[in-house]
Amino acid sequence: MASKDAQKQRSRGLPGCLPGAPDPDQSLHTSASSPGSQVWQQGLPLPGNLPPGLEYLSQLDLIIIHQQVELLGMILGTETSNKYEIKNSLGQRIYFAVEESTCFNRTFCSTLRSCTLKITDNSGQEVMAVNRPLRCNSCWCPCYLQELEIQAPPGTIVGYVAQKWDPFLPKFTIQNANKEDILKIVGPCATCGCFGDVDFEVKTINEKLTVGKISKYWSGFVNDVFTNADNFGIHVPTDLDVTVKAAMIGACFLFDFMFFEHSLAGL
């Protein structure tokens, strides 16, 4: 099933591996005990001073994020904790993310709720944490806008994703640990995604050069109406710093909460 998802993403004209990118088969392998497994396992460790657990991100130019369907929430009509699979271009799971939040926050604060997303590798080791405080989300309120804190490993801040006020477009910045702007993310005027993908372009600070994009894939009429499961793709240069890639993963979670959380948001 995972391989079919990956083929679906590539059928949109998305890159599996850009020219010059490392061949994943040279450094990765799947579990020998289950030949059909689509869970990635790390082979030889990579050199360099990278946050532990994020070494594999240095080899990727496409990261797929798939939200798991919550059957309980569908049946009861309640908001449950979000769960996401983070995959490579082959559809193999490399990380798993789980939202930690209270029932009160999910019920009464809805998409503005404060929460923490814990990201673990396939061995269950926590490699990253994304903290989201309770913030405003309105073009009429230029202060106290959305912000995420990225930790990798947990306890070590490596970056932030901060919303910037704009009356027309969704705009965000990716910041380093010192809250210095590194890149900008600019979304479209309308994020409803009427029968098509929604692209958030990742640009340089002066917005003159596009270096990547975060796409919310349209999953079809039935899925968008009857579930709140969303799929995202992060397209980045292979040599982009892994902490920036980690921040872009966090940005996907934020966009899901802000723009696509409700079941009808994809229409």
Side-chain angles (χ1 to χ4, degrees), residues 9-257:
Q9 311 307 338
R10 288 196 292 269
S11 69
R12 302 169 184 263
L14 307 179
C17 287
L18 294 178
D23 184 354
D25 295 333
Q26 295 180 358
S27 55
L28 309 177
H29 60 86
T30 54
S31 174
S33 60
S34 53
S37 173
Q38 288 298 309
V39 174
W40 169 81
Q41 293 183 348
Q42 186 173 359
L44 296 176
L46 296 174
N49 186 23
L50 302 177
L54 299 187
E55 297 90 349
Y56 182 50
L57 289 182
S58 65
Q59 305 176 44
L60 300 184
D61 56 27
L62 172 61
I63 304 168
I64 299 170
I65 297 181
H66 171 69
Q67 183 181 0
Q68 291 193 333
V69 177
E70 293 294 334
L71 295 179
L72 180 62
M74 290 172 55
I75 296 171
L76 301 180
T78 59
E79 188 64 51
T80 57
S81 298
N82 290 352
K83 299 180 178 65
Y84 305 87
E85 285 186 302
I86 303 172
K87 305 176 182 181
N88 60 18
S89 61
L90 301 178
Q92 299 168 326
R93 190 179 76 190
I94 54 178
Y95 302 113
F96 188 71
V98 179
E99 175 194 348
E100 290 187 354
S101 60
T102 65
C103 182
F104 178 89
N105 275 345
R106 293 194 301 272
T107 302
F108 294 100
C109 299
S110 187
T111 60
L112 295 178
R113 63 186 180 267
S114 61
C115 63
T116 297
L117 288 123
K118 301 290 184 69
I119 293 91
T120 58
D121 60 19
N122 290 318
S123 67
Q125 180 69 32
E126 189 177 338
V127 299
M128 183 175 152
V130 177
N131 295 320
R132 183 198 187 197
L134 180 65
R135 291 289 186 105
C136 298
N137 180 24
S138 172
C139 63
W140 304 109
C141 183
C143 59
Y144 213 63
L145 297 176
Q146 294 292 306
E147 182 177 277
L148 290 183
E149 178 188 83
I150 315 298
Q151 299 181 3
T156 302
I157 299 174
V158 297
Y160 297 87
V161 178
Q163 183 184 10
K164 298 299 181 182
W165 185 84
D166 189 279
F168 305 110
L169 298 175
K171 288 192 176 183
F172 303 82
T173 58
I174 296 177
Q175 303 172 332
N176 61 19
N178 297 321
K179 290 200 170 185
E180 299 168 335
D181 293 346
I182 300 175
L183 294 171
K184 278 190 177 181
I185 303 176
V186 181
C189 293
T191 57
C192 61
C194 297
F195 306 104
D197 298 345
V198 179
D199 293 331
F200 294 81
E201 294 188 336
V202 182
K203 299 175 174 286
T204 54
I205 294 300
N206 59 14
E207 299 188 25
K208 291 184 178 180
L209 179 64
T210 299
V211 298
K213 67 177 179 178
I214 298 174
S215 298
K216 192 274 182 183
Y217 299 137
W218 183 63
S219 53
F221 179 81
V222 174
N223 282 345
D224 278 338
V225 171
F226 294 104
T227 76
N228 64 348
D230 295 315
N231 296 285
F232 293 87
I234 302 174
H235 307 262
V236 291
T238 306
D239 59 356
L240 187 68
D241 190 283
V242 295
T243 60
V244 179
K245 293 181 181 180
M248 293 176 70
I249 292 175
C252 274
F253 299 146
L254 180 60
F255 298 162
D256 189 29
F257 281 114

